[in-house]
Amino acid sequence: MCFLLKESGQYDKEAVNPFGILDYLKLNYLTFNFDTVLPLEVKPEGSQPRALLSYSDRLVAVDDNLAPPRERFSTLHEIAHYVLPTHQHSMYLCDSQGMSHRTHLTFEKTANEFAADMLFKGGMFSIDVAAMGISVKTITTLAAKYQASFEATARRLAERSLRPVMLAVFKNTAGTRRINADTSPNWDVRYCIASPIFKSRFFTHVNGSAPSDIAAELTSSYRDIEESITRIIEIDTSAGQSQQFTGEFFYNQYNIFALLTPANS
Ligand SMILES: [Zn+2]
């Protein structure tokens, strides 16, 4: 991965430019509207194709409706299919599910990991995190630096940190049931990602909801994502004991996030 970034002149740049890698590999690039242009028979029902690689045409194509961070990631994902030696040298049509961090398809997972390694320049990202500390401020700063989405950057921070940290992502599960205006929104855990040391010391997952007063404060009026709320919270560990964690909660207008680190460490 580093070899490819160095050879294509991308390693010393702050943010990787996928076009530099496409050029180096002599791959053509095209964007078009995948919804209207792709024939229906290549789209399995319910799937939203976002990008494709045609090995024989040396062509990467990406849906032109994608926001820039997604377009960058999708392009790097197709480059990964092209360079990974174990991947078939044929045609890949990749959809949102395959490019999600929760995909179960091994070849998509491998391509996602390779793409993320390129996007965050391997170990460079971890060095930045170690220097800046674990906080929402670090996530926004590094998302801007690496030109990645906020959520992908938050996941990478938790996943690769050498310190014990867990990212918990909450979604509003009352969204469609709020005909009764007296019910309050409920922000339930959507997924969690923890650093290796956090998993081995504590747990791999938390269940439940974000504290309702914090959720209300974060979402009731517009506030900047960096205006987080920090609180000490108690969580039961698998050993049946409870442990105190520092939780930094913040909101990006879609999800509530929490960075959990052991208190007093
Ligand atoms: Zn793919």
Side-chain angles (χ1 to χ4, degrees):
M1 185 280 303
C2 283
F3 176 81
L4 184 58
L5 292 183
K6 281 177 183 152
E7 286 299 304
S8 60
Q10 299 306 309
Y11 195 73
D12 296 325
K13 293 192 169 176
E14 280 228 320
V16 166
N17 180 354
F19 286 97
I21 307 173
L22 290 168
D23 264 0
Y24 171 72
L25 296 170
K26 299 192 170 52
L27 291 171
N28 300 303
Y29 183 77
L30 195 68
T31 60
F32 59 84
N33 186 319
F34 275 41
D35 274 342
T36 54
V37 177
L38 278 187
L40 270 181
E41 55 269 26
V42 303
K43 285 188 270 195
E45 204 171 327
S47 124
Q48 281 179 295
R50 266 168 52 175
L52 66 82
L53 165 74
S54 173
Y55 195 88
S56 52
D57 299 320
R58 309 185 71 89
L59 173 73
V60 169
V62 173
D63 186 8
D64 63 8
N65 283 315
L66 300 179
R70 282 200 151 189
E71 184 187 356
R72 286 167 58 74
F73 184 79
S74 302
T75 307
L76 292 171
H77 174 104
E78 299 307 328
I79 291 173
H81 283 312
Y82 183 80
V83 298
L84 283 166
T86 52
H87 285 210
Q88 284 173 18
H89 292 166
S90 59
M91 173 94 178
Y92 281 92
L93 178 64
C94 307
D95 63 14
S96 320
Q97 274 176 323
M99 286 197 217
S100 147
H101 65 106
R102 289 197 279 182
T103 182
H104 296 299
L105 300 169
T106 310
F107 66 97
E108 291 295 58
K109 249 185 205 164
T110 322
N112 287 338
E113 276 162 23
F114 194 89
D117 279 347
M118 284 192 277
L119 186 62
F120 293 110
K121 296 170 59 178
M124 291 288 280
F125 180 87
S126 306
I127 294 169
D128 285 340
V129 172
M132 295 170 72
I134 292 165
S135 70
V136 62
K137 175 86 183 126
T138 298
I139 299 172
T140 53
T141 306
L142 294 182
K145 176 178 174 181
Y146 292 98
Q147 293 179 31
S149 76
F150 176 81
E151 200 169 327
T153 310
R155 279 200 299 269
R156 185 84 176 177
L157 177 139
E159 206 172 65
R160 296 302 170 104
S161 178
L162 300 174
R163 301 170 62 93
V165 55
M166 170 178 270
L167 172 78
V169 182
F170 304 87
K171 68 173 177 196
N172 182 356
T173 46
T176 52
R177 299 200 306 264
R178 293 204 64 208
I179 295 172
N180 178 353
D182 293 337
T183 60
S184 53
N186 206 26
W187 293 84
D188 291 336
V189 171
R190 200 176 120 217
Y191 67 88
C192 302
I193 292 194
S195 64
I197 190 166
F198 189 99
K199 284 192 226 174
S200 68
R201 277 198 202 161
F202 305 111
F203 39 81
T204 56
H205 192 86
V206 282
N207 294 309
S209 314
S212 53
D213 59 322
I214 293 183
E217 200 175 330
L218 286 173
T219 59
S220 58
S221 60
Y222 180 81
R223 59 195 281 150
D224 191 86
I225 192 164
E226 288 183 14
E227 287 177 65
S228 58
I229 299 172
T230 297
R231 180 184 293 178
I232 301 288
I233 48 173
E234 212 145 287
I235 302 175
D236 292 336
T237 64
S238 48
Q241 292 155 331
S242 82
Q243 164 99 25
Q244 288 196 325
F245 292 88
T246 304
E248 185 185 15
F249 292 84
F250 40 96
Y251 178 54
N252 72 345
Q253 309 301 315
Y254 299 102
N255 293 304
I256 289 177
F257 299 81
L259 284 172
L260 302 173
T261 49
N264 314 315
S265 72

